[in-house]
């Protein structure tokens, strides 16, 4: 398609510039023809015409490339079968439910309704998040106790229902009017942990569980996500930060990847593919920051994200990097990034195609997150 287009453009420009190079070629042999071609090639008017053609074709190719990508994205969206949102009902026993699932429900009943999980990954509570979705539509995560009963729930899509009228998209004011003042700390044994008070989330103790409601600063402080953790599960998490391990590192990486795609799909954007090569680039930068005690896109050797990607032979046309540090989990990291304008723009960049995420922990078990996005 592109080669045909270029050939047509060359013919058109050549025809337009015809007076600049046309001379009668006598049938006096092949040498004469070659000499005429050589004269034509050296003609300044012909060179100017082809220089202009080269620049115009390059510009057109860039525009065509973007148009083809947009068309492919639109075509892919049209090809996908529509995924119906479940009919949400008011919870029967608790204040909140997600996808009509409540704490205490059995894993069997959950998977009878939605099928098997797309991913299982370790989380900061010493259990696993099971991610359920249909190509990141109707996305939610569930954790189970040793009896295979639900002890944790999360979603950042419109799957929340409650007996109080709180749902995705309502304002912080509605939440606080209904639930009252949020917690400022959580006691675990003899230790009192102060909760972060940055206005981006509220924590409530409801129905014997801890409910964290996240708000989107860029959408008028409306509810954008919710996490529900059973009280016993929260109590069993003795320390503020969970000791880092290879399982938790990988769990945080895949959770942040899934959360990013769930957000993109909710905003009508394409799903990013996981890229192991750039994940290694991201991991090395997170580890370097954790070990060298700094937090910056530019490392101590002066390398930018693009330098590091090129060094690792990641071929990209456009690229971007997000960093986060010190959040309790990938859920908190992602919601924080979405409330930061530049990071949000990377997460919601329509032209990105691939994503790799690297996590590392410092000596205090504080996690460093690096997201590397790119297209090629």
């Amino acid at each position: 398609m592109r080669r045909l287009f270029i050939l047509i453009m060359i013919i058109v420009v050549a025809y337009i510039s015809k007076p600049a190079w046309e001379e009668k070629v006598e049938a006096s042999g092949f040498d004469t023809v070659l000499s005429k071609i050589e004269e034509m090639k050296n003609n300044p008017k012909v060179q100017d015409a082809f220089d202009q053609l080269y620049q115009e074709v390059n510009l057109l190719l860039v525009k065509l490339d973007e148009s083809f990508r947009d068309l492919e994205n639109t075509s892919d969206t049209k090809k996908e079968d529509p995924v119906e949102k479940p009919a949400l009902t008011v919870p029967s026993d608790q204040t909140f439910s997600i996808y009509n699932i409540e704490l205490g429900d059995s894993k069997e009943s959950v998977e009878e309704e939605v099928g098997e999980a797309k991913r299982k990954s370790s989380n900061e509570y010493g259990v696993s998040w099971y991610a359920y979705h249909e190509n990141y539509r109707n996305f939610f995560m569930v954790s189970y106790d040793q009896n295979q009963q639900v002890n944790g729930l999360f979603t950042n899509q419109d799957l929340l229902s409650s007996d109080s009228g709180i749902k995705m998209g309502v304002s912080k004011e509605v939440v606080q009017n209904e639930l009252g003042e949020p917690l400022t700390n959580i006691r675990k044994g003899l230790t009192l942990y102060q909760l972060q008070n940055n206005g981006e989330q509220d924590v409530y103790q409801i129905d014997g569980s801890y409910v964290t409601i996240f708000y989107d600063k860029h959408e008028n402080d409306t509810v954008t996500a919710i996490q529900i953790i059973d009280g016993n599960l929260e109590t069993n998490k003795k320390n503020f930060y969970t000791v880092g391990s290879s399982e938790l590192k990988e769990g945080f990486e895949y959770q942040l990847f899934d959360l990013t795609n769930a957000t993109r799909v909710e905003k009508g954007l394409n799903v990013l593919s996981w890229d192991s090569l750039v994940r290694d680039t991201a991991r090395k930068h997170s580890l370097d920051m954790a070990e060298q005690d700094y937090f910056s896109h530019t490392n101590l050797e002066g390398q930018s994200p693009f330098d590091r990607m090129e060094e690792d032979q990641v071929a990209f046309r456009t690229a971007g990097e997000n960093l986060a540090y010190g959040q309790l989990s990938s859920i908190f990291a992602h919601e924080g990034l979405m409330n930061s304008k530049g990071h949000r723009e990377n997460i919601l960049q329509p032209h990105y195609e691939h994503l790799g995420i690297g996590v590392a922990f410092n000596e205090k078990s504080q996690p460093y997150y690096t997201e590397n996005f790119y297209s090629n």
Side-chain angles (χ1 to χ4, degrees), residues 12-161:
V12 169
V13 173
Y15 179 78
I16 292 172
S17 60
K18 183 178 178 182
W21 53 264
E22 184 184 55
E23 292 183 24
K24 183 178 179 181
V25 178
E26 298 178 359
S28 58
F30 190 60
D31 290 340
T32 304
V33 173
L34 288 178
S35 65
K36 291 295 182 183
I37 290 174
E38 187 67 23
E39 290 175 13
M40 185 175 69
K41 184 184 74 172
N42 295 326
N43 189 313
K45 293 182 179 180
V46 174
Q47 290 179 354
D48 290 343
F50 274 91
D51 286 343
Q52 184 178 359
L53 170 66
Y54 179 79
Q55 293 174 2
E56 291 177 354
V57 168
N58 268 344
L59 180 61
L60 282 169
L61 284 176
V62 170
K63 291 181 178 179
L64 276 174
D65 184 59
E66 292 179 353
S67 299
F68 288 153
R69 289 175 185 274
D70 290 341
L71 183 60
E72 287 171 3
N73 289 338
T74 303
S75 300
D76 290 343
T77 302
K78 290 180 179 178
K79 288 176 185 176
E80 288 181 0
D81 294 329
V83 177
E84 292 184 5
K85 177 185 168 184
L88 301 177
T89 60
V90 175
S92 57
D93 299 322
Q94 297 166 24
T95 303
F96 296 105
S97 65
I98 293 174
Y99 205 108
N100 300 325
I101 299 165
E102 301 176 35
L103 296 184
D105 287 351
S106 68
K107 183 181 179 182
E108 181 181 10
S109 66
V110 171
E111 298 198 341
E112 279 180 1
E113 181 66 26
V114 299
E116 293 185 0
K118 296 296 192 295
R119 192 191 310 282
K120 175 186 175 183
S121 57
S122 297
N123 67 21
E124 71 276 17
Y125 288 101
V127 292
S128 296
W129 280 125
Y130 290 75
Y132 299 93
H133 58 88
E134 299 169 71
N135 199 25
Y136 291 101
R137 288 167 173 78
N138 293 336
F139 175 87
F140 64 101
M141 299 194 297
V142 183
S143 65
Y144 301 99
D145 63 20
Q146 59 186 3
N147 297 317
Q148 298 299 291
Q149 292 182 317
V150 176
N151 64 358
L153 287 163
F154 171 85
T155 190
N156 60 357
Q157 294 190 356
D158 190 14
L159 303 173
L160 172 66
S161 58

Side-chain angles (χ1 to χ4, degrees), residues 108-306:
E108 181 181 10
S109 66
V110 171
E111 298 198 341
E112 279 180 1
E113 181 66 26
V114 299
E116 293 185 0
K118 296 296 192 295
R119 192 191 310 282
K120 175 186 175 183
S121 57
S122 297
N123 67 21
E124 71 276 17
Y125 288 101
V127 292
S128 296
W129 280 125
Y130 290 75
Y132 299 93
H133 58 88
E134 299 169 71
N135 199 25
Y136 291 101
R137 288 167 173 78
N138 293 336
F139 175 87
F140 64 101
M141 299 194 297
V142 183
S143 65
Y144 301 99
D145 63 20
Q146 59 186 3
N147 297 317
Q148 298 299 291
Q149 292 182 317
V150 176
N151 64 358
L153 287 163
F154 171 85
T155 190
N156 60 357
Q157 294 190 356
D158 190 14
L159 303 173
L160 172 66
S161 58
S162 71
D163 63 3
S164 60
I166 296 172
K167 58 183 180 180
M168 294 296 178
V170 304
S171 69
K172 181 191 295 188
E173 183 180 7
V174 168
V175 173
Q176 294 182 347
N177 285 342
E178 185 64 36
L179 300 180
E181 288 293 320
L183 298 177
T184 58
N185 53 68
I186 294 179
R187 180 178 292 280
K188 296 186 178 183
L190 299 176
T191 306
L192 196 65
Y193 290 100
Q194 200 71 24
L195 297 174
Q196 192 174 24
N197 184 23
N198 59 8
E200 296 182 6
Q201 66 271 327
D202 285 331
V203 181
Y204 294 93
Q205 194 168 10
I206 305 170
D207 302 328
S209 63
Y210 289 90
V211 178
T212 304
I213 299 176
F214 298 90
Y215 304 107
D216 192 328
K217 290 167 55 177
H218 298 279
E219 295 186 2
N220 302 314
D221 279 338
T222 52
V223 175
T224 189
I226 184 169
Q227 175 181 267
I228 307 170
I229 299 295
D230 179 78
N232 292 327
L233 185 59
E234 183 66 56
T235 301
N236 290 335
K237 182 175 175 283
K238 301 299 183 184
N239 300 311
F240 194 70
Y241 290 109
T242 302
V243 176
S245 65
S246 58
E247 292 79 13
L248 186 59
K249 175 176 70 175
E250 187 174 81
F252 278 176
E253 290 169 350
Y254 282 123
Q255 287 153 27
L256 192 50
F257 174 77
D258 288 344
L259 292 165
T260 300
N261 273 328
T263 296
R264 288 177 65 88
V265 165
E266 188 74 357
K267 303 294 185 184
L269 300 172
N270 60 299
V271 172
L272 302 176
S273 65
W274 176 259
D275 189 280
S276 295
L277 181 58
V278 83
R279 187 266 303 273
D280 292 341
T281 305
R283 275 187 171 180
K284 285 187 288 187
H285 188 54
S286 287
L287 183 61
D288 189 49
M289 289 189 293
E291 290 182 342
Q292 303 295 327
D293 192 25
Y294 73 96
F295 184 68
S296 174
H297 292 288
T298 303
N299 65 20
L300 300 183
E301 296 177 355
Q303 290 181 311
S304 71
F306 315 110

